[in-house]
Amino acid sequence: MNKILVLIIAVCGFCQLSNAQITPAPSSADAVITVYDNDKAVGSGVVVGADGYILTALHLVKTADRISIKSSSGEIYDDAKIVRKDERRNIALLQVIAGGLKVLTTRSAEEPAVGTEITIISNGSGDKNTIAKSAIFNGNLLADNIAGAGTGYRLFLFETKFTDNQIGGLLLDGKNRPIGIVTANPEVKLQNIAVPFSSISGLIPTVKADANEAQTTAVTAVKQPETPTKKVRQSVADVLRTAETVYVKSHTGFIKDPAFIAELMKNTDFAEWGWSFTNDKENADLIIEVDRLALVIKFTFKVYSIKHGIIIASGNKHTNDFDFGSPDLVREIIKRIKLQKAIVR
């Protein structure tokens, strides 16, 4: 009886932890600060540079008379300035004269699998960090498809039960690796959106790191070109424009690689692009991976480039035609790629 009681208590404790809060890497949580407009807390920000550089949502500070920030240690620093901004993506880079700020030293370029749990760290009130674990990653989508979000850039979509102000907060994947900044402004119909770090890394100045605060971005799970002098294209449109070879991999027995490749080849858009298939994953220009969510007939997909360290598209599709190469899934993948090819940067 005692053993059963102990087991019940342990299971309940695990459920409470998984549905409420976890503790991510300290450097990630400590890098999240509160942003103030005239002493009023308006949202969160993330410290990304030892010289006081902070990323936040642009609409929070765009018209502010006086911007202040409150660090994770509780100290308040005044006279923060907007030094760079990306109007399209609603991102601002602030700089403040401050000492002892905890810096986010790693950023991941790997996109989580659709349907996996992620974490959001925010401090919109200035009291203490809210670390929300009960969020689900729903893939990425062009802003063009979200009312009020603008056009011409990628967004991460997620679901969360938390209703606290998470704007400017930090998005982490299931392994607690930072992947983006929550950015929705009041005009956006779907509030649970974030901008990937891979889209805004150019805003962050390159500074000389000291021994204790490395500023080098650690891009995990995406290999960089072995030749240091080779130019890396960061534009999705450029990668698609120059792509020639495609590697295809199914991680589910419900979709066989040969049938899936045959279905891709039958698609008129794919044929028009002139892409050929290769078995060399490391040197392929594009990689298309598909999988199935457990217990349902919902398939996920991801299109990305290892060589350029960039994700082209991802999503999911309910389908029951997988025995024939999954035409529905192929059409959805081609649709997402076409949307990305239409972007003019």
Side-chain angles (χ1 to χ4, degrees):
M1 181 67 181
N2 289 337
K3 291 183 178 178
I4 296 176
L5 181 60
V6 170
L7 178 61
I8 292 173
I9 292 172
V11 171
C12 290
F14 175 78
C15 293
Q16 290 176 354
L17 178 64
S18 63
N19 289 325
Q21 294 183 344
I22 63 166
T23 303
S27 60
S28 296
D30 292 342
V32 176
I33 56 89
T34 307
V35 177
Y36 290 82
D37 176 3
N38 282 335
D39 299 324
K40 177 183 177 181
V42 292
S44 304
V46 180
V47 183
V48 292
D51 287 347
Y53 289 113
I54 297 166
L55 286 175
T56 188
L58 176 60
H59 77 274
L60 296 179
V61 294
K62 188 175 183 179
T63 60
D65 294 326
R66 182 166 59 89
I67 306 170
S68 303
I69 67 102
K70 185 177 184 180
S71 71
S72 57
S73 64
E75 293 187 84
I76 296 176
Y77 297 95
D78 299 318
D79 300 320
K81 306 295 183 185
I82 300 175
V83 292
R84 294 184 182 181
K85 60 185 177 180
D86 187 328
E87 295 267 3
R88 182 181 297 275
R89 292 169 178 78
N90 189 31
I91 287 288
L93 180 72
L94 308 179
Q95 187 172 26
V96 65
I97 299 175
L101 294 179
K102 302 298 182 181
V103 180
L104 188 73
T105 57
T106 62
R107 299 188 297 278
S108 177
E110 182 181 7
E111 182 176 321
V114 175
T116 58
E117 279 194 342
I118 57 175
T119 302
I120 305 164
I121 307 177
S122 59
N123 194 341
S125 66
D127 295 329
K128 61 179 181 178
N129 282 350
T130 298
I131 304 175
K133 174 67 172 176
S134 58
I136 302 297
F137 185 75
N138 282 342
N140 76 65
L141 193 66
L142 277 176
D144 309 53
N145 298 296
I146 302 174
T151 61
Y153 69 100
R154 279 191 318 121
L155 285 167
F156 284 161
L157 309 181
F158 61 91
E159 298 176 14
T160 179
K161 298 177 182 178
F162 283 78
T163 57
D164 294 344
N165 179 11
Q166 297 178 327
I167 307 303
L170 180 64
L171 209 69
L172 290 83
D173 65 11
K175 298 179 181 179
N176 291 326
R177 299 175 299 188
I179 57 174
I181 302 287
V182 182
T183 57
N185 63 55
E187 287 74 38
V188 178
K189 184 176 181 180
L190 181 62
Q191 286 291 297
N192 296 333
I193 61 175
V195 171
F197 276 123
S198 58
S199 298
I200 54 177
S201 58
L203 284 176
I204 306 171
T206 301
V207 296
K208 185 177 181 181
D210 62 30
N212 298 317
E213 293 183 325
Q215 297 304 304
T216 302
T217 300
V219 179
T220 58
V222 180
K223 295 183 178 179
Q224 300 300 312
E226 295 183 0
T227 305
T229 58
K230 184 176 180 179
K231 183 179 180 180
V232 180
R233 295 183 296 271
Q234 294 298 325
S235 165
V236 170
D238 283 344
V239 173
L240 288 174
R241 191 179 301 116
T242 58
E244 296 180 352
T245 58
V246 180
Y247 174 86
V248 172
K249 180 61 180 176
S250 170
H251 297 287
T252 170
F254 287 86
I255 297 178
K256 306 298 183 183
D257 289 347
F260 190 68
I261 290 173
E263 194 60 39
L264 282 168
M265 293 177 68
K266 289 193 302 184
N267 186 279
T268 55
D269 288 304
F270 192 93
E272 181 181 326
W273 296 335
W275 294 342
S276 60
F277 295 96
T278 178
N279 292 323
D280 185 356
K281 180 178 180 179
E282 298 300 318
N283 292 309
D285 295 318
L286 293 176
I287 297 170
I288 301 176
E289 293 185 351
V290 296
D291 206 343
R292 183 179 75 95
L293 295 179
L295 305 178
V296 294
I297 54 172
K298 189 174 187 179
F299 293 83
T300 63
F301 64 86
K302 181 165 66 173
V303 183
Y304 64 100
S305 169
I306 286 181
K307 291 199 295 184
H308 304 294
I310 196 167
I311 296 169
I312 307 299
S314 68
N316 58 76
K317 181 71 175 178
H318 282 282
T319 180
N320 57 5
D321 61 4
F322 40 82
D323 287 336
F324 306 98
S326 191
D328 284 348
L329 185 59
V330 166
R331 283 192 289 270
E332 183 65 21
I333 292 172
I334 297 299
K335 173 185 172 183
R336 294 293 185 92
I337 294 176
K338 286 178 67 176
L339 285 172
Q340 296 290 16
K341 286 176 75 73
I343 297 177
V344 179
R345 292 184 181 255

